[in-house]
Amino acid sequence: MPTLPKIIALGTGTADTIKYTKTAFFIQDEMTNLLIDTGGGSEILAQLDHCGIALNEIQHIFITHKHIDHIFGIFWILRFRGAAIHSGKAPSLTVYASAENIILIKQVSVFFLKKKVLDLFDTKILFIAVDENSELMLKDWAIRFFDIRSDKETQWGCHITFPHTKTLTFIGDEPYHDALLRFCENVDYLFHDAYCLERDREIFAPHDISHSTVKEAAVNAQKVKAKNLILFHTEDKATFEKRKALYTEEARKEYSGNIFVPDDGDIIEIK
Protein backbone atom coordinates (compact mmCIF):
# COMPACT_ATOMS: atom_id res chain seq x y z
CA MET A 1 0.00 0.00 0.00
CA PRO A 2 1.36 3.49 -0.85
CA THR A 3 2.56 5.80 1.86
CA LEU A 4 0.15 8.48 3.02
CA PRO A 5 0.00 11.50 0.71
CA LYS A 6 1.32 14.94 1.41
CA ILE A 7 -0.09 18.33 0.52
CA ILE A 8 2.25 20.98 -0.86
CA ALA A 9 0.93 24.53 -0.65
CA LEU A 10 2.03 26.24 -3.85
CA GLY A 11 -0.22 29.27 -3.45
CA THR A 12 -2.32 30.44 -0.51
CA GLY A 13 -3.35 34.00 -1.33
CA THR A 14 -6.42 35.73 -2.75
CA ALA A 15 -6.67 37.36 -6.16
CA ASP A 16 -5.42 40.74 -4.93
CA THR A 17 -2.44 39.50 -2.94
CA ILE A 18 1.07 40.36 -4.07
CA LYS A 19 2.98 38.74 -1.21
CA TYR A 20 1.47 35.25 -1.65
CA THR A 21 1.06 33.15 -4.75
CA LYS A 22 -2.52 32.66 -5.89
CA THR A 23 -4.41 29.43 -5.10
CA ALA A 24 -2.66 26.17 -6.00
CA PHE A 25 -2.19 22.96 -3.99
CA PHE A 26 -0.35 19.80 -5.02
CA ILE A 27 -1.32 16.49 -3.43
CA GLN A 28 0.86 13.44 -3.99
CA ASP A 29 1.96 10.02 -2.85
CA GLU A 30 4.49 7.81 -4.66
CA MET A 31 1.90 6.61 -7.19
CA THR A 32 -0.56 9.44 -7.75
CA ASN A 33 -0.66 13.22 -7.81
CA LEU A 34 -3.20 15.98 -8.34
CA LEU A 35 -2.77 19.74 -8.76
CA ILE A 36 -5.81 21.66 -7.49
CA ASP A 37 -5.97 25.02 -9.28
CA THR A 38 -3.04 26.66 -10.99
CA GLY A 39 -2.65 30.16 -9.59
CA GLY A 40 -2.87 33.33 -11.62
CA GLY A 41 -0.16 32.99 -14.24
CA SER A 42 3.48 32.07 -14.83
CA GLU A 43 4.12 32.17 -11.07
CA ILE A 44 2.93 28.56 -10.95
CA LEU A 45 6.07 27.45 -12.81
CA ALA A 46 8.31 29.16 -10.28
CA GLN A 47 6.41 27.62 -7.38
CA LEU A 48 6.59 24.13 -8.85
CA ASP A 49 10.34 24.54 -9.28
CA HIS A 50 10.78 26.02 -5.79
CA CYS A 51 8.95 23.06 -4.26
CA GLY A 52 10.85 20.46 -6.25
CA ILE A 53 7.85 19.35 -8.33
CA ALA A 54 8.77 18.42 -11.89
CA LEU A 55 6.32 19.87 -14.38
CA ASN A 56 6.54 16.73 -16.50
CA GLU A 57 5.53 14.50 -13.60
CA ILE A 58 2.14 16.12 -12.91
CA GLN A 59 -0.56 13.54 -13.67
CA HIS A 60 -3.86 15.30 -12.99
CA ILE A 61 -5.07 18.91 -12.72
CA PHE A 62 -8.40 20.02 -11.28
CA ILE A 63 -9.68 23.52 -12.02
CA THR A 64 -12.35 24.60 -9.52
CA HIS A 65 -13.63 27.68 -11.38
CA LYS A 66 -12.75 30.33 -13.93
CA HIS A 67 -11.54 33.20 -11.76
CA ILE A 68 -8.16 34.31 -13.05
CA ASP A 69 -6.34 33.63 -9.77
CA HIS A 70 -7.29 29.94 -10.07
CA ILE A 71 -7.20 29.18 -13.79
CA PHE A 72 -4.63 31.31 -15.63
CA GLY A 73 -1.64 29.19 -14.62
CA ILE A 74 -3.05 26.34 -16.71
CA PHE A 75 -1.97 28.05 -19.92
CA TRP A 76 1.66 28.18 -18.81
CA ILE A 77 1.52 24.55 -17.76
CA LEU A 78 -0.03 23.53 -21.07
CA ARG A 79 2.54 25.54 -23.02
CA PHE A 80 5.60 23.82 -21.58
CA ARG A 81 4.12 20.44 -20.67
CA GLY A 82 2.56 20.25 -24.13
CA ALA A 83 5.92 20.88 -25.77
CA ALA A 84 7.46 18.12 -23.66
CA ILE A 85 4.68 15.70 -24.55
CA HIS A 86 5.06 16.57 -28.22
CA SER A 87 8.78 15.79 -28.12
CA GLY A 88 8.25 12.53 -26.26
CA LYS A 89 9.81 13.77 -23.03
CA ALA A 90 6.67 13.66 -20.86
CA PRO A 91 3.59 11.44 -20.47
CA SER A 92 0.01 12.49 -21.13
CA LEU A 93 -1.86 14.86 -18.81
CA THR A 94 -5.50 14.91 -17.65
CA VAL A 95 -7.39 18.10 -16.76
CA TYR A 96 -10.68 18.00 -14.84
CA ALA A 97 -13.01 20.99 -14.96
CA SER A 98 -16.60 21.91 -15.69
CA ALA A 99 -17.70 21.59 -19.31
CA GLU A 100 -17.95 25.40 -19.43
CA ASN A 101 -14.39 25.86 -18.24
CA ILE A 102 -13.00 23.22 -20.59
CA ILE A 103 -14.50 25.21 -23.47
CA LEU A 104 -12.95 28.39 -22.04
CA ILE A 105 -9.50 26.78 -21.68
CA LYS A 106 -9.60 25.51 -25.25
CA GLN A 107 -10.80 28.84 -26.64
CA VAL A 108 -8.12 30.86 -24.87
CA SER A 109 -5.42 28.33 -25.73
CA VAL A 110 -5.93 28.98 -29.44
CA PHE A 111 -4.58 32.51 -28.96
CA PHE A 112 -1.46 31.58 -26.98
CA LEU A 113 -0.39 27.99 -27.62
CA LYS A 114 1.36 26.54 -30.64
CA LYS A 115 -0.40 24.18 -33.01
CA LYS A 116 1.79 21.29 -31.92
CA VAL A 117 0.32 21.66 -28.40
CA LEU A 118 -3.24 22.26 -29.55
CA ASP A 119 -3.04 19.08 -31.63
CA LEU A 120 -2.51 17.11 -28.38
CA PHE A 121 -5.88 18.19 -26.98
CA ASP A 122 -8.17 15.22 -26.39
CA THR A 123 -5.45 12.77 -27.36
CA LYS A 124 -2.52 13.21 -25.00
CA ILE A 125 -3.85 16.21 -23.09
CA LEU A 126 -7.22 14.94 -21.95
CA PHE A 127 -10.07 17.11 -20.68
CA ILE A 128 -12.66 15.45 -18.44
CA ALA A 129 -15.87 17.38 -17.69
CA VAL A 130 -17.03 17.08 -14.09
CA ASP A 131 -20.60 17.18 -12.84
CA GLU A 132 -22.59 16.08 -9.81
CA ASN A 133 -22.32 12.46 -10.92
CA SER A 134 -18.55 12.52 -11.43
CA GLU A 135 -16.98 9.82 -9.32
CA LEU A 136 -13.77 8.22 -10.49
CA MET A 137 -10.52 6.58 -9.48
CA LEU A 138 -7.13 8.21 -9.81
CA LYS A 139 -5.27 4.93 -9.48
CA ASP A 140 -6.14 4.06 -5.86
CA TRP A 141 -7.61 7.46 -4.90
CA ALA A 142 -11.40 7.68 -5.03
CA ILE A 143 -12.48 11.20 -5.97
CA ARG A 144 -15.94 12.73 -6.07
CA PHE A 145 -16.59 16.14 -7.57
CA PHE A 146 -19.44 18.36 -6.40
CA ASP A 147 -21.02 21.74 -7.08
CA ILE A 148 -20.31 24.00 -4.09
CA ARG A 149 -23.56 25.96 -4.74
CA SER A 150 -21.82 29.27 -5.27
CA ASP A 151 -23.91 32.44 -5.20
CA LYS A 152 -21.65 33.99 -7.85
CA GLU A 153 -21.02 31.40 -10.53
CA THR A 154 -20.56 27.67 -10.82
CA GLN A 155 -17.65 26.39 -8.77
CA TRP A 156 -16.61 22.81 -8.08
CA GLY A 157 -15.09 21.10 -5.09
CA CYS A 158 -13.77 17.60 -4.57
CA HIS A 159 -13.76 14.89 -1.91
CA ILE A 160 -10.88 12.39 -1.99
CA THR A 161 -10.63 9.07 -0.18
CA PHE A 162 -7.06 7.77 -0.05
CA PRO A 163 -6.20 4.05 0.13
CA HIS A 164 -5.59 4.28 3.89
CA THR A 165 -9.21 5.57 4.20
CA LYS A 166 -8.00 9.07 5.06
CA THR A 167 -10.23 11.72 3.48
CA LEU A 168 -9.81 15.26 2.18
CA THR A 169 -12.39 17.81 1.05
CA PHE A 170 -11.68 20.97 -0.94
CA ILE A 171 -14.74 23.22 -1.01
CA GLY A 172 -13.31 25.95 -3.22
CA ASP A 173 -12.82 29.52 -2.05
CA GLU A 174 -16.30 30.21 -0.69
CA PRO A 175 -17.85 29.47 2.72
CA TYR A 176 -19.16 26.08 3.73
CA HIS A 177 -22.94 25.68 3.87
CA ASP A 178 -25.12 22.77 4.85
CA ALA A 179 -25.73 21.51 1.30
CA LEU A 180 -22.09 20.34 1.44
CA LEU A 181 -22.43 18.42 4.70
CA ARG A 182 -22.19 14.95 3.15
CA PHE A 183 -18.82 15.83 1.65
CA CYS A 184 -17.45 17.48 4.79
CA GLU A 185 -18.83 15.65 7.82
CA ASN A 186 -16.08 13.86 9.77
CA VAL A 187 -13.58 14.51 6.99
CA ASP A 188 -9.93 14.17 7.96
CA TYR A 189 -8.71 17.31 6.15
CA LEU A 190 -10.96 20.24 5.26
CA PHE A 191 -9.79 23.15 3.11
CA HIS A 192 -11.72 26.34 3.93
CA ASP A 193 -11.21 29.89 2.70
CA ALA A 194 -10.29 32.40 5.41
CA TYR A 195 -10.03 35.80 3.79
CA CYS A 196 -9.33 37.78 6.95
CA LEU A 197 -9.53 37.87 10.72
CA GLU A 198 -12.88 38.63 12.35
CA ARG A 199 -11.45 41.91 13.68
CA ASP A 200 -10.69 43.02 10.08
CA ARG A 201 -14.05 42.19 8.52
CA GLU A 202 -15.01 45.88 8.26
CA ILE A 203 -11.81 46.54 6.33
CA PHE A 204 -12.09 43.68 3.84
CA ALA A 205 -15.87 43.03 3.80
CA PRO A 206 -15.42 39.32 2.98
CA HIS A 207 -19.16 38.64 2.81
CA ASP A 208 -19.51 41.10 -0.06
CA ILE A 209 -17.25 38.85 -2.16
CA SER A 210 -18.53 35.50 -0.84
CA HIS A 211 -15.62 34.79 1.48
CA SER A 212 -15.21 33.99 5.18
CA THR A 213 -13.42 35.23 8.23
CA VAL A 214 -11.12 32.88 10.13
CA LYS A 215 -13.68 32.63 12.93
CA GLU A 216 -16.41 31.59 10.50
CA ALA A 217 -14.19 28.97 8.89
CA ALA A 218 -13.35 27.53 12.31
CA VAL A 219 -17.01 27.45 13.36
CA ASN A 220 -17.85 25.57 10.17
CA ALA A 221 -15.03 23.06 10.67
CA GLN A 222 -16.20 22.40 14.22
CA LYS A 223 -19.78 22.00 13.01
CA VAL A 224 -18.88 19.28 10.48
CA LYS A 225 -16.44 17.62 12.92
CA ALA A 226 -13.48 17.89 10.58
CA LYS A 227 -10.33 16.52 12.18
CA ASN A 228 -7.90 18.94 10.50
CA LEU A 229 -8.59 22.43 9.14
CA ILE A 230 -6.49 24.01 6.39
CA LEU A 231 -7.01 27.77 6.12
CA PHE A 232 -6.11 29.41 2.81
CA HIS A 233 -7.13 32.10 0.30
CA THR A 234 -6.12 34.94 2.59
CA GLU A 235 -5.36 38.64 2.44
CA ASP A 236 -1.75 39.85 2.71
CA LYS A 237 -2.15 43.35 4.12
CA ALA A 238 -3.29 43.25 7.75
CA THR A 239 -1.58 40.02 8.83
CA PHE A 240 1.44 39.54 6.60
CA GLU A 241 4.37 37.90 8.45
CA LYS A 242 2.00 37.21 11.38
CA ARG A 243 -0.69 35.30 9.50
CA LYS A 244 0.10 31.82 10.83
CA ALA A 245 0.06 32.88 14.50
CA LEU A 246 -2.93 35.24 14.24
CA TYR A 247 -5.09 32.89 12.19
CA THR A 248 -4.29 29.94 14.45
CA GLU A 249 -5.10 31.95 17.56
CA GLU A 250 -8.50 33.02 16.23
CA ALA A 251 -9.42 29.59 14.87
CA ARG A 252 -8.45 27.88 18.13
CA LYS A 253 -11.22 29.73 19.98
CA GLU A 254 -13.87 28.01 17.84
CA TYR A 255 -12.30 24.76 16.67
CA SER A 256 -10.84 21.83 18.60
CA GLY A 257 -9.02 19.96 15.80
CA ASN A 258 -5.61 20.53 14.23
CA ILE A 259 -5.16 23.86 12.46
CA PHE A 260 -2.90 24.49 9.48
CA VAL A 261 -2.21 27.94 8.06
CA PRO A 262 0.32 27.07 5.38
CA ASP A 263 2.74 29.53 3.89
CA ASP A 264 3.56 29.14 0.21
CA GLY A 265 5.89 26.16 -0.01
CA ASP A 266 4.78 24.49 3.22
CA ILE A 267 4.14 20.74 3.29
CA ILE A 268 1.32 19.11 5.24
CA GLU A 269 1.84 15.40 5.84
CA ILE A 270 -1.45 13.50 5.92
CA LYS A 271 -1.49 11.29 9.01
Side-chain angles (χ1 to χ4, degrees), residues 96-113:
Y96 305 87
S98 68
E100 174 189 14
N101 287 335
I102 288 173
I103 292 171
L104 174 65
I105 291 169
K106 289 181 176 181
Q107 288 175 335
V108 174
S109 293
V110 169
F111 294 100
F112 298 112
L113 302 183

Side-chain angles (χ1 to χ4, degrees), residues 95-155:
V95 179
Y96 305 87
S98 68
E100 174 189 14
N101 287 335
I102 288 173
I103 292 171
L104 174 65
I105 291 169
K106 289 181 176 181
Q107 288 175 335
V108 174
S109 293
V110 169
F111 294 100
F112 298 112
L113 302 183
K114 294 182 179 179
K115 183 178 183 299
K116 67 180 181 180
V117 175
L118 298 175
D119 286 346
L120 298 172
F121 284 8
D122 300 317
T123 57
K124 294 186 177 181
I125 298 176
L126 303 177
F127 293 90
I128 307 296
V130 302
D131 58 31
E132 287 286 12
N133 298 313
S134 296
E135 198 166 357
L136 51 86
M137 298 296 297
L138 305 185
K139 296 184 180 176
D140 54 5
W141 297 6
I143 184 166
R144 173 75 182 269
F145 298 100
F146 56 89
D147 187 336
I148 73 162
R149 307 293 193 268
S150 170
D151 293 330
K152 295 187 292 186
E153 62 180 65
T154 303
Q155 183 172 166

Side-chain angles (χ1 to χ4, degrees), residues 55-57 80-92 124:
L55 177 63
N56 290 346
E57 293 179 3
F80 292 106
R81 177 61 175 272
I85 294 172
H86 175 77
S87 63
K89 297 178 181 178
S92 60
K124 294 186 177 181

Side-chain angles (χ1 to χ4, degrees), residues 7 16 37 44 48 61 63 72 77 81 91 98 108 136 160 162 176 185 193 214 236 252 256:
I7 302 163
D16 61 349
D37 283 337
I44 188 64
L48 289 168
I61 299 174
I63 300 295
F72 261 39
I77 291 173
R81 177 61 175 272
S98 68
V108 174
L136 51 86
I160 304 173
F162 300 107
Y176 164 85
E185 189 171 26
D193 92 283
V214 173
D236 66 349
R252 176 57 61 216
S256 59

Side-chain angles (χ1 to χ4, degrees), residues 28 91 176 182 195 266:
Q28 67 173 14
Y176 164 85
R182 63 188 172 124
Y195 195 96
D266 280 0

Side-chain angles (χ1 to χ4, degrees), residues 151-212:
D151 293 330
K152 295 187 292 186
E153 62 180 65
T154 303
Q155 183 172 166
W156 294 86
C158 66
H159 175 86
I160 304 173
T161 302
F162 300 107
H164 302 77
T165 72
K166 294 293 184 181
T167 55
L168 176 154
T169 297
F170 190 95
I171 61 170
D173 67 358
E174 295 192 19
Y176 164 85
H177 49 81
D178 288 340
L180 305 180
L181 179 62
R182 63 188 172 124
F183 303 110
C184 300
E185 189 171 26
N186 296 312
V187 72
D188 289 302
Y189 290 82
L190 176 67
F191 283 82
H192 199 299
D193 92 283
Y195 195 96
C196 65
L197 295 172
E198 185 71 20
R199 74 178 190 194
D200 296 326
R201 64 184 303 150
E202 298 301 321
I203 299 173
F204 296 104
H207 290 181
D208 292 349
I209 48 177
S210 298
H211 295 314
S212 311

